[in-house]
Amino acid sequence: MTDPRLTSLQTAVPGLLIKTDPADLEHYGRDWTRRWTPAPLAIALPGTVDQVQAVVRWAFEHGVAIVPSGGRTGLSGGAVAAKGELVLSLERMNRVLGYDPVDNHLTVQAGTPLQVVQEAAQAQGLVYPVDFGSRGSCSIGGNIATNAGGIRVIRHGNTREWIAGLKLVTGTGELLDLGRGLVKNSSGYDLRHLAIGSEGTLGIVVEATLRLTQPLPAAQTLLLALPSFEAVMQVFAAFRARLDLQAFEFLTDIGLRHVLAHGGINPFETVYPYYVVTEYDAADEAQQAAGLAAFEHCLEQGWVLDGVQAASEAQAAQLWRLREGITEALARYRPYKNDISVRISALPVFLAKARTLLDEAYPQFEVVWFGHIGDGNLHINVLQPDGVSDGEFMAQCAKVTAVLADLLQQVGGSISAEHGIGLVKKDYLESTRTAAEITLMRGIRAVMDPKGILNPGKIFD
Ligand code: 2HG
Ligand code: ZN
């Protein structure tokens, strides 16, 4: 540990675990984007809230930038440390602190993995209903920092709806206890909601009090094969009108092909252009019959060409893998990811225009579309072909994203639905937020992090 700043940090925070091994710098300095070369100063792994505060106070005094770090499964570069920042990993603060059976609240440290949160809720006969594929490795603090969404938003909303309280260390090292589990609290600005989705730029989440809820009714999982995107929208409308949906996700033949190449079972013998994985309440005979009737209606209309109904939990998991396995299956191509949001009603127009645009702009690139139809959230992954350099690929992606951003502005959409702006999308923030809003955001940031030491360069410069 030769850097004098680290000696000073160690003196300021006795007992703080600091890592500087090259392998650690690489591991903790990146997220799933894999586009920036990790180059952190060091990794600080505090074990207590006091230590987090002490590290921030030290960084404030010495003008050292901090990158707060959870499971680093982010897809926008929000947890990348490529400029000599100190990574502050919450990894060791990963305990469930308690459950209150009257409030139905679970309190956890920020580094707790989502899956551990879900299991702790289950142990109380309840659920924490936010869910997505990276549940095993992402942390609740990271989920809060990006207001993560996932596959149950259609039923339960984003992470924001489930945060009854959180403890936040600001850019001066002050500890704020926000929300405090109150159901009602009309006492001024709700700073908790400012912190949620702030991507570590307003404070470091150190603890969260989560609302739990009753388990969902038993569900039926269906995989549907469809002829067109119009049909996806028609089936969505028909299912939503007749059933209580728990999830409604889509993918295309290209996405399915990549997942199957990575391991997975295709229940269909024919290749179809579009697929939907959906789940709806099917706890009793009436709900099951309604599901079957909705399916048959869509079949008669020609909106659905084929379908598989999961006959067991294991088969439901297999069907889900076809959708949830896409990100992992595509990872080796280091895709350029778009994560767009439009009103659900604007999806068909947006998709038609965006497709034409992308087909013209990227005739040589493979583009994988999938996402959360029920939320108006599409994931558009552009794969980097072998033989095309990083620089050339990124330059082309940047050009097309600018056009996509214009299109989103026209339809009143957002350049990031659930992954965050991070580094990847900050050049396009103006397409989604007005100049007045961005000025206010900068002002808020300047108050909560006056020296700009928390995740600088993320969201905006
Ligand atoms: C999902 O919905 C995640 O599976 C990841 O948000 C999306 O890899 C992506 O682009
Ligand atoms: Zn998603």
Side-chain angles (χ1 to χ4, degrees), residues 75 132-133 150-151 249 323-324 326-327 330 337-339 370-372 377 379-381 418-419:
L75 301 165
F132 28 83
I151 54 177
E249 301 283 312
R323 161 64 184 88
E324 290 200 309
I326 299 178
T327 302
L330 298 182
K337 288 177 185 286
N338 290 293
D339 160 44
F370 59 103
H372 318 280
N377 175 190
H379 296 306
I380 310 164
N381 280 216
E418 58 176 358
H419 296 168

